[in-house]
Amino acid sequence: MEPKLEPIVETFKSREKHMCVKGEGLSIPVCDKASLPGTVTQRTCVYGGARIVLMPITDSIHLVHGPIGCAACTWDIRGSKSSREDLYKKGCSTDLGEKDIIFGGEKKLFETVIELRKLYNPGAIFVYATCVAGVIGDDIKAVCKKTEEVTGCRVIPVQSEGFQDHNKTKGHWIGCDALLDYVIGTREPEKTTPFDINVVGEFNVAGDFWGFKPLLEEVGVNIISTITGDSHVDEIAQAHRARLNIVQCQKSSNYLAKKMEKRYGIPSIKVNFFGLEQTVNSLREIADFFGDPEMIERTEKIIESGLAEVEHKTDEYRERLQGKTVALYVGGNKAWSLVRAFEELGMGVMMSGTKNGIREDYERIKEAVRDGTIIVDDANSTELARLLKKYRPNLLISGAKEKYIALKLGVPFCDFNHDRISAFAGFNGFVSFAKEVDASVSSPIFDLTSTSLRGD
Ligand code: SF4
């Protein structure tokens, strides 16, 4: 029989088991359920999940087939950087209105695609289905096929109607399916090498990819495509020729890696370039996979010089951060992949949670955190505020939606989501990470904030 435990914070009965403490009976919270109606969930919809995966393809137009409100979920909620064009940053919508809902929006979609093609000549036009497009039954696939024939441009349907599921993870899979069904395998690379790889689940937020891309190039692998950070659609089209997929965001993109293994026989390994130890391990695993003695030797030298370059650069921060606690409330992958990086700064993760976690994600979190860590699923804003007030971490790592909850409670906050502006991946990224964490945790402003809100 399960031991009777005190709730982590005061909440509705049906929500109590969505929070647990590792090591105390239930170590995996109840998860992957519809949010409780009336509570202010921090989740986004299935369409949002698909956008997150596909949005960073820079040479493409991302067209939202729906009312203008859905287009608010656009490039600026995804801080993916581009080294080439900015086409992906155009906010495009068919702006469905009442008339379209009554008579159908296919004609409008057709005309919009033709116009966008004329205006921008993009690598592809991704057409995202929203709730309204789904409810009125527009045949998006048929319109995409027809406009592709007329324009000669790739027009890719993304069947991401927001209402399909309570979990945006399904949107990630739908985004991956659009790539599998319409892009990957449709173009052959000019040349191949024995060391061709795809970097999967790396979205180049704040330029993270650029923090470890040079390391991979020095190791001697040839990057065919990045899926999807700083990418072109024609590069992703050649991804089926890679010898290996390295998967950075395992929450959104394991699905794609598994399907590519089944369809094209490409094995995958999970990597993590956040933190020194994890960067070292990832580089070693890639070199070990290829088993080339020269590559292995070269990789050891890269590791040695990478570590030497950042040695002592984080000492000052580490000294101030020693013994401080951090709460993670993030999108999934980071809920486990950041744990070790914080430990390297001398900090302890006292809480880790996600908004859209599935059981597999919580298994990963459970493995990564120490006994006594609180694990939370889909905490709404009231629960999050109560958690912060009761357990008082020295830092909350989360996204824009949680930022002001933390700041109003006088809890230092660091954005590790789509809006951040500093890149944290790779050896030098770790120094920026330490600097930014320290700037928040050690800021004197938090001694001046209202104590009444904090409940002191
Ligand atoms: S797709 Fe649906 S749930 Fe998502 S933003 Fe649009 S209307 Fe809202």
Side-chain angles (χ1 to χ4, degrees), residues 60-82:
S60 296
I61 285 284
H62 299 268
L63 170 62
V64 184
H65 185 44
I68 195 68
C70 301
C73 177
T74 182
W75 74 270
D76 58 350
I77 56 105
R78 190 82 173 125
S80 299
K81 295 245 183 207
S82 169

Side-chain angles (χ1 to χ4, degrees), residues 44 66 79 99 109 123 137 149 151 156 196 258 285 309 346 359 367 414 416 428 434 437:
T44 182
K99 260 195 201 162
L109 176 61
E149 282 164 15
T151 61
I156 299 165
D196 290 345
K258 280 185 194 159
E285 276 180 50
E309 204 186 323
R359 196 174 165 88
E367 271 170 40
C414 239
F416 212 120
N428 287 313
V437 167

Side-chain angles (χ1 to χ4, degrees), residues 79-128:
S80 299
K81 295 245 183 207
S82 169
S83 60
R84 293 170 281 186
E85 60 286 291
D86 277 349
L87 199 52
Y88 68 127
K89 291 187 178 178
K90 300 258 175 242
C92 301
S93 164
T94 48
D95 186 17
L96 292 181
E98 271 178 43
K99 260 195 201 162
D100 307 307
I101 289 164
I102 296 162
F103 297 109
E106 291 175 10
K107 187 166 175 280
K108 202 171 189 185
L109 176 61
F110 182 88
E111 286 165 0
T112 309
V113 172
I114 302 288
E115 195 178 341
L116 285 169
R117 157 69 174 173
K118 265 194 212 149
L119 285 172
Y120 300 112
N121 194 18
I125 299 174
F126 287 87
V127 178
Y128 298 81

Side-chain angles (χ1 to χ4, degrees), residues 186-362:
T186 58
R187 188 185 158 108
E188 289 302 322
E190 272 171 23
K191 68 174 179 70
T192 55
T193 78
F195 305 115
D196 290 345
I197 69 163
N198 297 313
V199 183
V200 179
E202 171 48 55
F203 304 111
N204 204 31
V205 172
D208 272 337
F209 177 48
W210 301 332
F212 65 90
K213 185 181 177 194
L215 300 174
L216 294 178
E217 286 167 349
E218 276 183 67
V219 163
V221 293
N222 177 46
I223 302 167
I224 294 192
S225 75
T226 317
I227 304 174
T228 54
D230 195 16
S231 66
H232 276 190
V233 79
D234 274 354
E235 294 157 1
I236 298 175
Q238 305 170 19
H240 61 297
R241 289 298 177 214
R243 305 292 173 104
L244 173 70
N245 279 334
I246 62 167
V247 189
Q248 168 83 345
C249 174
Q250 290 133 38
K251 164 81 176 153
S252 63
S253 303
N254 258 353
Y255 174 85
L256 180 71
K258 280 185 194 159
K259 287 226 163 172
M260 285 181 77
E261 177 152 22
K262 205 165 170 199
R263 198 176 289 183
Y264 303 111
I266 305 172
S268 65
I269 55 176
K270 294 170 181 163
V271 293
N272 180 0
F273 287 96
F274 294 125
L276 296 178
E277 186 185 304
Q278 294 174 135
T279 299
V280 166
N281 291 346
S282 298
L283 292 172
R284 281 199 181 124
E285 276 180 50
I286 294 166
D288 286 348
F289 171 85
F290 288 108
D292 177 72
E294 280 179 30
M295 182 183 275
I296 292 172
E297 206 184 312
R298 209 164 41 238
T299 303
E300 288 308 317
K301 285 190 184 141
I302 295 162
I303 291 170
E304 206 180 308
S305 72
L307 290 174
E309 204 186 323
V310 298
E311 203 187 3
H312 304 307
K313 283 193 182 165
T314 56
D315 291 356
E316 177 197 347
Y317 311 124
R318 219 187 304 239
E319 214 171 285
R320 282 194 289 267
L321 295 171
Q322 197 66 36
K324 302 276 198 248
T325 57
V326 54
L328 310 174
Y329 189 54
V330 280
N333 188 57
K334 282 164 272 178
W336 64 82
S337 66
L338 291 183
V339 173
R340 187 67 201 114
F342 277 106
E343 287 173 355
E344 285 183 284
L345 290 180
M347 297 178 74
V349 174
M350 50 71 63
M351 180 187 111
S352 183
T354 91
K355 297 157 206 173
N356 297 281
I358 55 176
R359 196 174 165 88
E360 195 185 318
D361 302 326
Y362 289 107

Side-chain angles (χ1 to χ4, degrees), residues 45 47 70 130-131 161-163:
C45 69
Y47 150 74
C70 301
T130 59
C131 293
E161 295 85 352
F163 56 66

